[in-house]
Amino acid sequence: MAVTIDPIEQFELKPLVSLGHIGHQQLAFTQSALYMFAAVGVIALITIVATSSRSIVPGRMQSLAEIFYEFIADTLHQSTGEGGKRFMPLVFSLFMFVLILNLFGMIPYAFAVTSHLIVTFGLAALVISTVVIFGVMKHGTHFFGLFVPSGVPKPLLAILVPIEIISFISRPISLSVRLFANMLAGHIAMKIFAFFVVQLLLAGAWSVLSPLPLFLTIALTALEFLVAALQAYVFATLTAIYLNDALHPGH
């Protein structure tokens, strides 16, 4: 009997608690929301435990927290300079939130929250909204000089200004799609290769090439752990780069 799989089934939202309806649309607390609350809880627990002792000679948890903090602080400083320190809580929180959610998705039978575009787009929209609101509050209308390249002849501005505006608007799209696409594709590939291993075992098709899907699954899983950490870093780095425009719109 042939066994089939649906690699997309793992991304389906399942309501855990119904919160009512708006018209024909159901409002529910889903497993996606549960994992996001769990991620916040894990981050809070790590932070509280790591900062509880504040020893001169740090323990393991404190050392881990300091490594993450200094890593993001250096990344933010390189992108924004001294003025970017005020955004450290935002960038650090986004990095840890995305990292923990990505790692949650690597647990067998767990839900990959960042494989949903609406979640990643919400995070990206938060970043761009912060850039625009802070930029306007700090620089006023001068912030919109970001869309006017310096040293360009005026006749070319009619072409370049719309291009700059479109480029700015596309930032939340590219920021969200990059994270979403990497996590979605990785989890689909892992499930397909794992299914090949099971099918070979059930069919008893042993040959020289039989272990190949298993080795590929192991390698792909290791790669996906790397991608989970790398995508969190990329998200934080791009956030820092975009925040630099709010601090220095004329550059």
Side-chain angles (χ1 to χ4, degrees):
M1 181 178 178
V3 180
T4 60
I5 62 165
D6 181 7
I8 304 299
E9 183 182 2
Q10 59 182 313
F11 307 114
E12 293 180 359
L13 289 174
K14 298 178 181 178
L16 302 178
V17 179
S18 178
L19 302 177
H21 292 78
I22 296 181
H24 297 290
Q25 185 65 42
Q26 180 187 14
L27 296 179
F29 184 84
T30 66
Q31 81 272 40
S32 178
L34 178 63
Y35 276 95
M36 284 190 277
F37 274 105
V40 173
V42 169
I43 295 169
L45 180 63
I46 292 175
T47 305
I48 292 172
V49 172
T51 58
S52 60
S53 60
R54 299 180 184 178
S55 304
I56 298 178
V57 180
R60 293 180 180 179
M61 189 63 69
Q62 184 177 339
S63 297
L64 180 64
E66 289 178 357
I67 289 172
F68 278 124
Y69 185 88
E70 292 175 2
F71 177 69
I72 297 301
D74 290 341
T75 300
L76 184 61
H77 183 269
Q78 291 173 8
S79 299
T80 62
E82 290 294 328
K85 288 183 177 180
R86 69 186 70 190
F87 295 115
M88 181 61 188
L90 172 64
V91 179
F92 182 75
S93 298
L94 284 173
F95 170 77
M96 292 299 298
F97 187 65
V98 173
L99 177 63
I100 296 299
L101 286 178
N102 288 350
L103 294 178
F104 274 173
M106 296 301 300
I107 300 174
Y109 302 105
F111 185 76
V113 177
T114 47
S115 64
H116 275 245
L117 182 59
I118 188 61
V119 174
T120 58
F121 183 79
L123 296 175
L126 171 63
V127 173
I128 299 303
S129 298
T130 302
V131 171
V132 174
I133 293 173
F134 180 84
V136 172
M137 290 179 60
K138 181 176 177 62
H139 304 283
T141 56
H142 179 66
F143 170 75
F144 297 102
L146 178 68
F147 307 124
V148 183
S150 59
V152 176
K154 291 183 178 180
L156 292 178
L157 290 179
I159 300 176
L160 295 180
V161 169
I163 293 176
E164 291 291 333
I165 294 175
I166 293 174
S167 175
F168 185 85
I169 294 175
S170 67
R171 286 181 176 181
I173 299 175
S174 63
L175 188 60
S176 58
V177 170
R178 181 182 291 105
L179 175 58
F180 148 77
N182 276 279
M183 300 311 297
L184 180 74
H187 282 72
I188 290 176
M190 282 196 301
K191 185 163 186 176
I192 291 175
F193 278 107
F195 176 72
F196 287 161
V197 175
V198 175
Q199 285 293 87
L200 285 173
L201 291 175
L202 292 177
W206 291 100
S207 67
V208 177
L209 298 180
S210 294
L212 185 58
L214 176 60
F215 294 149
L216 288 176
T217 302
I218 295 173
L220 190 60
T221 301
L223 178 62
E224 194 63 16
F225 271 106
L226 176 62
V227 170
L230 184 61
Q231 286 304 312
Y233 168 69
V234 170
F235 196 94
T237 300
L238 291 177
T239 297
I241 293 173
Y242 296 157
L243 289 171
N244 182 60
D245 289 337
L247 293 167
H248 313 290
H251 290 189

